[in-house]
Amino acid sequence: MKRAYRQLLVVDPVNVRLVYLKGDQRLIGRRLEARANHFMSRGLLSTQFDTLEEPADALMVDVAQAPEVIVHLVRRELGLESD
């Protein structure tokens, strides 16, 4: 997502935190191909990565991890659960 779009969404930085689910293009491409009836085709992925402006102020989580690990990390970092 572009920085300008994030700035529009984060109207209250005290109460709004961004979570950046970071993954490499090959991994995300494989996951897109595995989805049935998804709105985004793999052909659009390159342009999405080309225009991506990685956030410096977001919680970054590697999407190569298992979904339950990602959820745990995000919830812990946002103070929604303890270790």
Side-chain angles (χ1 to χ4, degrees):
M1 180 181 293
K2 290 187 172 283
R3 182 179 0 175
Y5 300 151
R6 290 192 301 269
Q7 289 173 335
L8 289 172
L9 293 171
V10 182
V11 293
D12 183 3
V14 173
N15 292 307
V16 176
R17 293 268 323 264
L18 296 174
V19 177
Y20 175 40
L21 300 174
K22 183 175 182 166
D24 70 51
Q25 191 168 343
R26 285 188 10 229
L27 171 64
I28 294 173
R30 286 194 308 269
R31 290 182 178 176
L32 279 173
E33 287 176 347
R35 293 179 178 175
N37 301 318
H38 195 268
F39 69 92
M40 184 174 152
S41 70
R42 180 149 192 220
L44 297 173
L45 189 58
S46 289
T47 59
Q48 294 295 303
F49 269 85
D50 290 345
T51 60
L52 174 65
E53 295 175 357
E54 291 189 333
D57 56 348
L59 166 60
M60 188 196 65
V61 180
D62 183 359
V63 296
Q65 302 174 87
E68 53 275 359
V69 172
I70 293 170
V71 169
H72 172 72
L73 290 171
V74 170
R75 289 182 54 84
R76 187 186 70 206
E77 290 298 318
L78 295 179
L80 301 173
E81 68 180 43
S82 58
D83 284 329

